[in-house]
Amino acid sequence: QGSIIIYQGTPKPCTVATFVAHRMAMAFALTGLRADGSVIDDPGCCRKTFENYFEVLDQVITEISEG
């Protein structure tokens, strides 16, 4: 049985092992926005459900920044 413990605080940069799970990549990409330097080890795993997820995420970030 797996578990996760989340502690309150500021996210710190890290490399996220997705284990080929697109949900991990997509979720931690958002968390990574608060920790400059974070890396998703296999962003390509998102292709199965949202082929251009990271391009769309970049576009949204740009629009928010300019807005």
Side-chain angles (χ1 to χ4, degrees):
Q1 206 183 92
S3 65
I4 184 170
I5 298 171
I6 301 173
Y7 297 99
Q8 181 178 344
T10 303
K12 295 184 178 25
C14 66
T15 298
V16 176
T18 63
F19 303 100
V20 195
H22 64 281
R23 292 176 187 94
M24 292 283 288
M26 295 166 83
F28 281 98
L30 297 176
T31 303
L33 295 175
R34 300 288 293 166
D36 192 33
S38 293
V39 175
I40 305 297
D41 76 341
D42 182 17
C45 69
C46 294
R47 282 189 222 125
K48 71 170 96 171
T49 57
F50 196 151
E51 185 173 350
N52 60 339
Y53 174 76
F54 288 96
E55 289 83 7
V56 171
L57 181 59
D58 286 340
Q59 182 179 358
V60 168
I61 293 166
T62 299
E63 289 177 12
I64 290 170
S65 298
E66 294 173 353

